């Protein structure tokens, strides 16, 4: 039966062409989806936090020299994310007490902690049973405190908060003093010097906060250990923060993933288009899908044409 042979043989290339076109669509489609809209993420939340237990900015004048020796030091100064709990601070100053270490601070507890995440930034400090010394006064404490804490809390979208607390007694140059909030306290010791104290200094803005439990303005003349004068500032229990940048709703970058072969989509359900699609319904895969459809259409037309031609010859 020749007609069967003539009619059947040409169909094979047409079927192969159609299968090839279909395979092309199936291969290009997932590739286009997999390469469209990659996810992007950053670990920078925009928030900041810091804490320091003790900060000194002092100028030390020596008896046998005409120069000043700066004493700029910090104990447990941290920036987020970090923490520290060292309880002593010693410094070496040339020309002071024959080069022996100067014990600036000793405390039972001296904590500093700073944390930052996407929602908030926080700085925290705590001092318990602390004594602060300056060069030239090895036996007489500049200040002694029972307990002080400072906290600065900055939450995204909220007003920052700064607080400081002073518990127990305060002794300055051997004298117990009563501190008043919002003002300064002057302590004068004849033959030793003057100290001015400010209690619980706090400040806030729309995104920042800062707190310090005590600020001391120091001016003493020990005339011991080769030290003539000590002038400057000492800060106890300081904490700072800056709020993370609030994330605007709907600004997160979508993650586009290709469904696994085992994924089953129930019939009759309508998948919602991604948020970044235009109203026309097109996306980055549209040119590939259109090209695949064209190949299928061309293959089908070619198959029909070949079949009609073979029938006409028969």
């Amino acid at each position: 039966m020749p007609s069967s042979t003539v009619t059947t043989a040409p169909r094979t290339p047409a079927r192969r062409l159609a299968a090839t076109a279909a395979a092309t669509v199936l291969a290009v489609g997932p590739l286009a989806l997999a390469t469209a809209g990659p996810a992007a993420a950053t670990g920078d939340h925009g928030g900041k936090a810091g804490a320091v237990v003790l900060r000194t900015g002092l100028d030390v004048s020596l008896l046998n020299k005409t120069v000043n020796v700066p004493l700029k030091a910090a104990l447990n100064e941290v920036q987020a994310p970090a923490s520290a709990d060292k309880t002593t601070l010693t410094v070496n100053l040339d020309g002071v007490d024959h080069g022996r270490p100067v014990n600036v601070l000793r405390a039972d507890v001296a904590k500093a902690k700073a944390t930052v995440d996407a929602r908030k930034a926080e700085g925290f400090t705590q001092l318990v049973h602390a004594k602060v010394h300056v060069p030239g006064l090895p036996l007489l404490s500049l200040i002694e405190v029972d307990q002080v804490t400072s906290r600065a809390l900055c939450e995204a979208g909220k007003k920052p908060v700064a607080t400081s607390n002073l518990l127990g007694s305060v002794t300055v140059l051997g004298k117990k003093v009563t501190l008043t909030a919002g003002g300064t306290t002057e302590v004068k010791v004849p033959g030793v010097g003057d100290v001015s104290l400010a209690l619980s200094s706090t400040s806030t803005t729309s995104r920042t906060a800062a707190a310090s439990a005590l600020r001391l303005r120091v001016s003493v003349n020990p005339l011991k250990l080769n030290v003539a004068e000590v002038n400057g500032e000492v800060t106890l229990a300081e904490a700072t923060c800056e709020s993370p940048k609030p994330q605007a709703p709907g600004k997160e970058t979508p993650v586009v993933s290709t469904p696994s072969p085992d994924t089953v989509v129930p019939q009759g359900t309508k998948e919602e288009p991604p948020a970044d699609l235009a109203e026309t319904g097109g996306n980055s895969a549209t040119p590939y899908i259109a090209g695949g459809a064209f190949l299928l259409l061309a293959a089908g037309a070619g198959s029909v044409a070949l079949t009609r031609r073979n029938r006409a010859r028969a």
Side-chain angles (χ1 to χ4, degrees):
M1 293 181 287
S3 59
S4 299
T5 305
V6 174
T7 304
T8 305
R11 292 181 184 177
T12 302
R15 289 177 179 175
R16 289 178 180 175
L17 181 60
T20 302
T24 302
V25 174
L26 293 176
V28 173
L31 178 62
L33 290 176
T35 57
T42 61
D44 184 10
H45 305 302
K48 298 177 182 179
V52 60
V53 166
L54 170 72
R55 189 191 305 278
T56 64
L58 300 172
D59 287 326
V60 181
S61 299
L62 305 182
L63 287 173
N64 59 355
K65 294 183 179 180
T66 58
V67 296
N68 293 339
V69 180
L71 174 52
K72 300 184 183 298
L75 174 64
N76 294 359
E77 183 173 21
V78 295
Q79 302 293 326
S83 62
D85 56 4
K86 188 176 180 181
T87 57
T88 59
L89 172 64
T90 59
V91 296
N92 292 322
L93 294 175
D94 292 338
V96 177
D97 196 14
H98 304 287
R100 284 191 281 265
V102 177
N103 187 6
V104 177
L105 176 101
R106 183 178 297 276
D108 290 348
V109 176
K111 290 183 178 180
K113 187 176 182 181
T115 58
V116 171
D117 58 30
R119 298 182 298 105
K120 66 179 181 179
E122 183 177 7
F124 173 77
T125 57
Q126 182 186 32
L127 269 170
V128 178
H129 298 148
K131 295 181 180 181
V132 178
H133 290 268
V134 295
L137 294 176
L139 303 178
L140 184 61
S141 299
L142 174 67
I143 186 172
E144 298 180 20
V145 295
D146 283 345
Q147 182 174 345
V148 292
T149 60
S150 290
R151 176 180 275 106
L153 177 61
C154 299
E155 297 184 83
K158 296 183 180 180
K159 181 178 177 59
V161 178
T163 58
S164 287
N165 293 305
L166 175 63
L167 302 176
S169 62
V170 177
T171 302
V172 178
L173 296 177
K175 290 185 174 182
K176 282 194 174 184
V177 298
T178 301
L179 303 178
T180 58
T184 59
T185 301
E186 302 287 340
V187 178
K188 298 180 182 291
V189 178
V192 178
D194 304 334
V195 177
S196 176
L197 296 87
L199 173 65
S200 301
S201 173
T202 61
S203 64
T204 59
T205 67
S206 60
R207 285 191 60 199
T208 65
S212 59
L214 285 169
R215 291 184 183 274
L216 291 76
R217 183 69 186 176
V218 180
S219 179
V220 296
N221 51 341
L223 302 180
K224 295 180 181 180
L225 303 181
N226 198 33
V227 177
E229 292 181 351
V230 179
N231 294 280
E233 290 188 353
V234 175
T235 302
L236 288 178
E238 183 179 69
T240 60
C241 67
E242 180 177 340
S243 300
K245 298 176 182 178
Q247 296 183 359
K251 291 297 183 180
E252 295 83 359
T253 304
V255 178
V256 181
S257 58
T258 304
S260 64
D262 296 332
T263 302
V264 178
V265 179
Q267 294 185 0
T269 60
K270 180 180 179 181
E271 295 185 11
E272 293 295 331
D276 58 346
L277 290 184
E279 292 182 359
T280 56
N283 63 8
S284 59
T286 301
Y288 299 98
I289 297 173
F294 176 77
L295 290 176
L296 286 174
L297 181 61
S303 177
V304 172
L306 288 173
T307 302
R308 288 180 177 177
R309 186 183 304 171
N310 291 328
R311 287 178 178 175
R313 289 177 180 177

